[in-house]
Amino acid sequence: MCKYSTWGKNRTRNNEDFPRSGDKYEDDDVDFDSWLGHFVLMGNETHNHYECYNPVNFQTRALTSERRYVHDGNGGFNPNMALAMNRQKDFDFVALVEFVHESQCMLFYRLGNNAPPAAISYLSKSCHCGEEHEEHQKNGTVHVQHHNMGKRSSLRDLPHATLSKVEILTLADSFIYVNALKNFMDEMAWLESDDALGRRVVCDNAL
C-alpha cells in the first residue's frame, strides 16, 4: 500500500528512509522485510511511520480508537483487547476476506425479502455445494487488488524471518481474527441448518 498505491507513493515519496530498493519481485520481499523490521524495533513509538501508516495491530486499533484515522500506530503493542472484542461483538455482520462467497450467501439470506433480485439469484444458483455450483463460485470469485503492481498472491512462502515479524506486529489482530473466524463458522453452521437454507454452503474447496 505505502510503496505502490497512489496514496502511498504520495505520502512516502519525500521520505528518504522509506524502503524502496526497486520494483522487482525480490526487491519487494527485501523492502517488505525492512518495512516490518522498522516497526518491530520502533515499538510503541509513533514518531516515524514514513508519513504513511503503522501496521502494528491495525485492525485492533481501528476497533478501539475514537479517532477516524489510526495511521500513526498509537498504542499498537498494548491495545485494549476487552474493548476491541466488545466492539467486534457489536457488529451485526462480519464478512471474512477468505470467505467472500460464503459471506455473500449469509448476507443475502439475512436480507430476506429486502434482497435485490441479483442477490436472490446468487443465493439460489451459487450457495450450494456440488461440482456445478463450485464451478459457478470459481467463475464469480472476487479478487481485491489495491494497485496494479501486485506480484504476490500469498505471503505464506515468505522467509521465516519475515513471517516472524508479521507475527510480532499482528499478535492482537490475530486474536481478534481467530475469534471472528469462530463466530463466522458458527453463523455458517446455522445457515446450513434446517432452520435456514438446509444445505451445505461452505464447500470442501473453501476449507
Side-chain angles (χ1 to χ4, degrees):
M1 177 63 77
C2 293
K3 183 175 180 179
Y4 286 123
S5 73
T6 300
W7 176 82
K9 287 190 287 188
N10 286 336
R11 299 291 296 179
T12 61
R13 61 185 174 187
N14 295 322
N15 192 310
E16 295 181 357
D17 295 328
F18 181 77
R20 198 192 307 274
S21 62
D23 294 336
K24 296 180 181 179
Y25 193 95
E26 55 270 24
D27 296 329
D28 288 347
D29 285 1
V30 171
D31 291 345
F32 184 53
D33 185 75
S34 298
W35 182 73
L36 294 169
H38 170 78
F39 292 103
V40 169
L41 293 175
M42 198 168 74
N44 271 326
E45 295 294 326
T46 61
H47 63 282
N48 182 12
H49 52 282
Y50 302 118
E51 300 300 323
C52 190
Y53 79 93
N54 186 322
V56 183
N57 294 314
F58 195 93
Q59 182 64 73
T60 307
R61 289 189 287 114
L63 285 169
T64 57
S65 178
E66 301 300 330
R67 296 177 299 167
R68 182 177 181 183
Y69 300 109
V70 293
H71 295 76
D72 64 7
N74 187 33
F77 279 102
N78 54 352
N80 187 332
M81 293 302 296
L83 178 59
M85 294 288 287
N86 286 334
R87 288 191 169 170
Q88 183 190 47
K89 291 177 183 177
D90 287 341
F91 289 125
D92 182 60
F93 176 74
V94 176
L96 296 183
V97 68
E98 293 85 358
F99 294 94
V100 173
H101 160 71
E102 294 78 10
S103 297
Q104 287 178 299
C105 293
M106 173 64 74
L107 177 62
F108 295 161
Y109 180 82
R110 288 184 55 184
L111 286 174
N113 294 331
N114 294 319
I120 295 174
S121 175
Y122 187 94
L123 188 64
S124 174
K125 294 180 179 179
S126 299
C127 298
H128 300 259
C129 288
E131 184 176 346
E132 70 278 13
H133 298 296
E134 290 181 7
E135 183 66 26
H136 189 277
Q137 294 167 20
K138 183 173 64 176
N139 292 338
T141 296
V142 177
H143 175 68
V144 178
Q145 183 167 307
H146 296 289
H147 54 76
N148 59 7
M149 297 288 289
K151 307 178 184 70
R152 178 184 288 278
S153 60
S154 173
L155 301 180
R156 295 182 185 278
D157 59 343
L158 282 168
H160 176 73
T162 301
L163 293 176
S164 294
K165 292 171 186 174
V166 172
E167 183 178 3
I168 292 170
L169 296 174
T170 59
L171 284 175
D173 279 0
S174 296
F175 185 86
I176 292 293
Y177 175 81
V178 169
N179 185 69
L181 178 61
K182 178 183 180 301
N183 292 339
F184 180 82
M185 287 304 180
D186 288 344
E187 291 180 355
M188 294 309 301
W190 170 81
L191 183 65
E192 294 180 338
S193 73
D194 292 337
D195 291 331
L197 287 176
R199 60 178 183 260
R200 283 194 66 191
V201 175
V202 182
C203 306
D204 293 338
N205 64 337
L207 298 173

PDB file of all heavy atoms in Angstrom, residues 33-34 36-37 40 160-170:
ATOM      1  N   ASP A  33      10.410  -6.749   4.210  1.00  0.00           N
ATOM      2  CA  ASP A  33      11.085  -7.169   5.429  1.00  0.00           C
ATOM      3  C   ASP A  33      11.675  -5.967   6.167  1.00  0.00           C
ATOM      4  O   ASP A  33      11.581  -5.876   7.400  1.00  0.00           O
ATOM      5  CB  ASP A  33      12.189  -8.169   5.097  1.00  0.00           C
ATOM      6  CG  ASP A  33      12.850  -8.741   6.332  1.00  0.00           C
ATOM      7  OD1 ASP A  33      12.243  -9.600   6.999  1.00  0.00           O
ATOM      8  OD2 ASP A  33      13.970  -8.305   6.657  1.00  0.00           O
ATOM      9  N   SER A  34      12.256  -5.036   5.432  1.00  0.00           N
ATOM     10  CA  SER A  34      12.824  -3.832   6.049  1.00  0.00           C
ATOM     11  C   SER A  34      11.740  -2.972   6.680  1.00  0.00           C
ATOM     12  O   SER A  34      11.912  -2.431   7.780  1.00  0.00           O
ATOM     13  CB  SER A  34      13.592  -3.013   5.001  1.00  0.00           C
ATOM     14  OG  SER A  34      14.680  -3.739   4.480  1.00  0.00           O
ATOM     15  N   LEU A  36       8.786  -3.969   7.808  1.00  0.00           N
ATOM     16  CA  LEU A  36       8.319  -4.635   9.024  1.00  0.00           C
ATOM     17  C   LEU A  36       9.319  -4.456  10.160  1.00  0.00           C
ATOM     18  O   LEU A  36       8.938  -4.150  11.301  1.00  0.00           O
ATOM     19  CB  LEU A  36       8.114  -6.123   8.758  1.00  0.00           C
ATOM     20  CG  LEU A  36       7.005  -6.525   7.780  1.00  0.00           C
ATOM     21  CD1 LEU A  36       7.130  -8.007   7.450  1.00  0.00           C
ATOM     22  CD2 LEU A  36       5.629  -6.222   8.346  1.00  0.00           C
ATOM     23  N   GLY A  37      10.605  -4.646   9.848  1.00  0.00           N
ATOM     24  CA  GLY A  37      11.637  -4.535  10.865  1.00  0.00           C
ATOM     25  C   GLY A  37      11.681  -3.164  11.507  1.00  0.00           C
ATOM     26  O   GLY A  37      11.952  -3.035  12.710  1.00  0.00           O
ATOM     27  N   VAL A  40       8.956  -3.185  14.127  1.00  0.00           N
ATOM     28  CA  VAL A  40       9.279  -4.087  15.241  1.00  0.00           C
ATOM     29  C   VAL A  40      10.226  -3.388  16.204  1.00  0.00           C
ATOM     30  O   VAL A  40      10.034  -3.409  17.431  1.00  0.00           O
ATOM     31  CB  VAL A  40       9.901  -5.403  14.733  1.00  0.00           C
ATOM     32  CG1 VAL A  40      10.467  -6.202  15.896  1.00  0.00           C
ATOM     33  CG2 VAL A  40       8.871  -6.231  13.980  1.00  0.00           C
ATOM     34  N   HIS A 160      11.091 -17.200   6.782  1.00  0.00           N
ATOM     35  CA  HIS A 160      10.616 -17.335   8.157  1.00  0.00           C
ATOM     36  C   HIS A 160      10.865 -16.059   8.958  1.00  0.00           C
ATOM     37  O   HIS A 160      10.022 -15.659   9.778  1.00  0.00           O
ATOM     38  CB  HIS A 160      11.312 -18.518   8.828  1.00  0.00           C
ATOM     39  CG  HIS A 160      10.957 -18.681  10.275  1.00  0.00           C
ATOM     40  ND1 HIS A 160       9.719 -19.146  10.696  1.00  0.00           N
ATOM     41  CD2 HIS A 160      11.671 -18.417  11.419  1.00  0.00           C
ATOM     42  CE1 HIS A 160       9.687 -19.169  12.021  1.00  0.00           C
ATOM     43  NE2 HIS A 160      10.851 -18.733  12.470  1.00  0.00           N
ATOM     44  N   ALA A 161      12.009 -15.423   8.743  1.00  0.00           N
ATOM     45  CA  ALA A 161      12.326 -14.202   9.493  1.00  0.00           C
ATOM     46  C   ALA A 161      11.304 -13.104   9.224  1.00  0.00           C
ATOM     47  O   ALA A 161      10.912 -12.355  10.132  1.00  0.00           O
ATOM     48  CB  ALA A 161      13.728 -13.716   9.128  1.00  0.00           C
ATOM     49  N   THR A 162      10.853 -13.008   7.978  1.00  0.00           N
ATOM     50  CA  THR A 162       9.845 -12.004   7.626  1.00  0.00           C
ATOM     51  C   THR A 162       8.505 -12.346   8.251  1.00  0.00           C
ATOM     52  O   THR A 162       7.824 -11.478   8.821  1.00  0.00           O
ATOM     53  CB  THR A 162       9.702 -11.911   6.097  1.00  0.00           C
ATOM     54  OG1 THR A 162      10.961 -11.568   5.519  1.00  0.00           O
ATOM     55  CG2 THR A 162       8.671 -10.867   5.710  1.00  0.00           C
ATOM     56  N   LEU A 163       8.115 -13.614   8.164  1.00  0.00           N
ATOM     57  CA  LEU A 163       6.847 -14.033   8.749  1.00  0.00           C
ATOM     58  C   LEU A 163       6.843 -13.862  10.265  1.00  0.00           C
ATOM     59  O   LEU A 163       5.802 -13.560  10.865  1.00  0.00           O
ATOM     60  CB  LEU A 163       6.552 -15.485   8.375  1.00  0.00           C
ATOM     61  CG  LEU A 163       6.283 -15.751   6.896  1.00  0.00           C
ATOM     62  CD1 LEU A 163       6.105 -17.253   6.650  1.00  0.00           C
ATOM     63  CD2 LEU A 163       5.057 -14.997   6.417  1.00  0.00           C
ATOM     64  N   SER A 164       7.988 -14.020  10.896  1.00  0.00           N
ATOM     65  CA  SER A 164       8.081 -13.819  12.343  1.00  0.00           C
ATOM     66  C   SER A 164       7.804 -12.360  12.703  1.00  0.00           C
ATOM     67  O   SER A 164       7.160 -12.072  13.724  1.00  0.00           O
ATOM     68  CB  SER A 164       9.477 -14.219  12.851  1.00  0.00           C
ATOM     69  OG  SER A 164       9.699 -15.601  12.693  1.00  0.00           O
ATOM     70  N   LYS A 165       8.256 -11.447  11.869  1.00  0.00           N
ATOM     71  CA  LYS A 165       7.982 -10.023  12.103  1.00  0.00           C
ATOM     72  C   LYS A 165       6.492  -9.726  11.928  1.00  0.00           C
ATOM     73  O   LYS A 165       5.918  -8.957  12.697  1.00  0.00           O
ATOM     74  CB  LYS A 165       8.822  -9.167  11.151  1.00  0.00           C
ATOM     75  CG  LYS A 165      10.310  -9.234  11.440  1.00  0.00           C
ATOM     76  CD  LYS A 165      11.135  -8.563  10.354  1.00  0.00           C
ATOM     77  CE  LYS A 165      12.615  -8.786  10.591  1.00  0.00           C
ATOM     78  NZ  LYS A 165      13.455  -8.285   9.492  1.00  0.00           N
ATOM     79  N   VAL A 166       5.897 -10.344  10.917  1.00  0.00           N
ATOM     80  CA  VAL A 166       4.451 -10.187  10.734  1.00  0.00           C
ATOM     81  C   VAL A 166       3.709 -10.661  11.982  1.00  0.00           C
ATOM     82  O   VAL A 166       2.780 -10.012  12.466  1.00  0.00           O
ATOM     83  CB  VAL A 166       3.965 -10.966   9.492  1.00  0.00           C
ATOM     84  CG1 VAL A 166       2.446 -10.957   9.420  1.00  0.00           C
ATOM     85  CG2 VAL A 166       4.565 -10.386   8.217  1.00  0.00           C
ATOM     86  N   GLU A 167       4.155 -11.799  12.511  1.00  0.00           N
ATOM     87  CA  GLU A 167       3.509 -12.360  13.705  1.00  0.00           C
ATOM     88  C   GLU A 167       3.623 -11.414  14.894  1.00  0.00           C
ATOM     89  O   GLU A 167       2.645 -11.200  15.627  1.00  0.00           O
ATOM     90  CB  GLU A 167       4.144 -13.702  14.053  1.00  0.00           C
ATOM     91  CG  GLU A 167       3.496 -14.394  15.242  1.00  0.00           C
ATOM     92  CD  GLU A 167       4.114 -15.744  15.548  1.00  0.00           C
ATOM     93  OE1 GLU A 167       5.086 -16.123  14.871  1.00  0.00           O
ATOM     94  OE2 GLU A 167       3.627 -16.426  16.465  1.00  0.00           O
ATOM     95  N   ILE A 168       4.796 -10.828  15.088  1.00  0.00           N
ATOM     96  CA  ILE A 168       5.002  -9.904  16.198  1.00  0.00           C
ATOM     97  C   ILE A 168       4.091  -8.685  16.076  1.00  0.00           C
ATOM     98  O   ILE A 168       3.511  -8.215  17.063  1.00  0.00           O
ATOM     99  CB  ILE A 168       6.476  -9.446  16.241  1.00  0.00           C
ATOM    100  CG1 ILE A 168       7.372 -10.626  16.635  1.00  0.00           C
ATOM    101  CG2 ILE A 168       6.673  -8.285  17.211  1.00  0.00           C
ATOM    102  CD1 ILE A 168       8.855 -10.337  16.481  1.00  0.00           C
ATOM    103  N   LEU A 169       3.950  -8.186  14.859  1.00  0.00           N
ATOM    104  CA  LEU A 169       3.184  -6.955  14.630  1.00  0.00           C
ATOM    105  C   LEU A 169       1.680  -7.175  14.603  1.00  0.00           C
ATOM    106  O   LEU A 169       0.918  -6.205  14.580  1.00  0.00           O
ATOM    107  CB  LEU A 169       3.629  -6.312  13.308  1.00  0.00           C
ATOM    108  CG  LEU A 169       5.084  -5.835  13.254  1.00  0.00           C
ATOM    109  CD1 LEU A 169       5.430  -5.349  11.855  1.00  0.00           C
ATOM    110  CD2 LEU A 169       5.337  -4.730  14.270  1.00  0.00           C
ATOM    111  N   THR A 170       1.236  -8.432  14.604  1.00  0.00           N
ATOM    112  CA  THR A 170      -0.202  -8.703  14.481  1.00  0.00           C
ATOM    113  C   THR A 170      -0.722  -9.628  15.570  1.00  0.00           C
ATOM    114  O   THR A 170      -1.741 -10.298  15.374  1.00  0.00           O
ATOM    115  CB  THR A 170      -0.522  -9.311  13.103  1.00  0.00           C
ATOM    116  OG1 THR A 170       0.220 -10.535  12.943  1.00  0.00           O
ATOM    117  CG2 THR A 170      -0.171  -8.353  11.977  1.00  0.00           C
TER     118      THR A 170
END
